Amino acid sequence: MSARTETDVAHVAAAIGDPSRAKVLLALAGGGALSAGALAAEAGVSNSTISGHLAKLREARLLTVELDGRHRYYRIATTDVARALEQLALIARPLPVRSLNADTRAKALLRARLCYDHLAGRLGVAVMDALRDEGFLAAEGAPPGEAPPGDAAGDTAYVLTPHGHRELGRFGVDTDRLPRRRATVRYCVDWAERRHHLAGSLGAALTARMFALEWLRHGKYRRVVRLTEAGRAGLASTFGVPNSQLS
């Protein structure tokens, strides 16, 4: 087995660094698959230009392609790519808002969005807070229900409690059958809120269950999700999310 060497960060950074390619990645950061034509529209470039951008992103192993007959669809390669985009957004400067539509979209993304396959934005952070406050999750180094030191800074390990295991099973999420190819409980530091939202296989399963119950619906804009009235009531009664956090 060959020894591990330093990674080529510059190669990946260069692939992400082009504004058009960054728009492609962000369009796919909600976990869906899109055609080259749809991605060209998202990036604001021609169909002939997008092929070169997609080739560079695939070379950097940031995208994968799926074949459906004669059609090709692109998606984010792994959850780690989406996670990296979320972390880059923590240090990136805000884009200028130059239209009413852009302002509406930006506010919707801040309110509730998908980070690959799990809930993010203010709503995602509110759910994470409630899971911790209600004892579904415990942070190592902090008593159940209390925030760990340096919550937004990272380096916190969360574990699922027996109470969480039991109550999530009642909700319809069998934590014993979650995929083992990824960590059960992980978090992202939300780029907008600078606080944790729930990732990992548990975050994905919880979000999928909310969609199945129609607590969440896809919004008008890509990646944006909308909380329904049923979701508002359900999050409050099932997880103790305060109504003040659901606006």
Side-chain angles (χ1 to χ4, degrees):
M1 181 183 294
S2 61
R4 293 279 294 179
T5 63
E6 290 186 79
T7 54
D8 190 356
V9 173
H11 179 65
V12 174
I16 298 173
D18 179 89
S20 295
R21 292 196 288 275
K23 289 178 181 178
V24 165
L25 291 170
L26 290 173
L28 294 170
L34 294 173
S35 67
L39 291 170
E42 289 285 338
V45 298
S46 67
N47 287 342
S48 58
T49 300
I50 198 66
S51 60
H53 288 309
L54 294 174
K56 288 184 180 295
L57 291 170
R58 288 186 65 196
E59 181 189 3
R61 295 189 291 183
L62 298 172
L63 294 186
T64 59
V65 62
E66 301 171 354
L67 300 179
D68 182 8
R70 292 185 296 176
H71 301 287
R72 298 161 70 90
Y73 295 92
Y74 298 84
R75 66 169 64 247
I76 292 285
T78 67
T79 57
D80 285 337
V81 176
R83 183 180 174 89
L85 291 172
E86 189 81 4
Q87 299 309 298
L88 282 172
L90 285 168
I91 58 175
R93 63 184 181 185
L95 287 170
V97 176
R98 295 191 171 95
S99 69
L100 178 60
N101 184 64
D103 181 63
T104 301
R105 179 178 180 276
K107 288 177 179 176
L109 283 168
L110 293 175
R111 186 164 50 248
R113 65 184 182 278
L114 290 178
C115 177
Y116 194 72
D117 57 4
H118 57 270
L119 189 61
R122 285 197 301 272
L123 183 58
V125 168
V127 170
M128 180 70 170
D129 284 348
L131 291 173
R132 189 177 59 207
D133 293 344
E134 297 297 317
F136 287 70
L137 298 176
E140 291 185 354
E146 292 187 17
D151 180 73
D155 298 329
T156 300
Y158 292 98
V159 295
L160 184 65
T161 66
H163 170 72
H165 176 87
R166 181 175 60 254
E167 293 303 315
L168 286 170
R170 291 175 179 171
F171 178 62
V173 175
D174 187 347
T175 56
D176 288 328
R177 302 184 67 180
L178 295 175
R180 300 304 178 191
R181 64 182 182 275
R182 60 196 286 201
T184 299
V185 181
R186 292 186 71 177
Y187 65 85
C188 291
V189 180
D190 196 275
W191 60 261
E193 297 297 305
R194 297 300 200 270
R195 298 177 64 210
H196 296 170
H197 64 244
L198 181 63
S201 60
L202 180 59
L206 193 59
T207 301
R209 181 62 176 157
M210 290 181 190
F211 273 111
L213 293 172
E214 296 193 342
W215 288 14
L216 297 176
R217 290 179 181 164
H218 291 283
K220 175 182 177 182
Y221 302 99
R222 207 173 302 283
R223 297 182 63 198
V224 168
V225 297
R226 181 169 61 86
L227 180 66
T228 66
E229 286 303 316
R232 187 180 302 275
L235 286 176
S237 62
T238 306
F239 300 110
V241 182
N243 285 320
S244 60
Q245 301 295 313
L246 298 174
S247 58

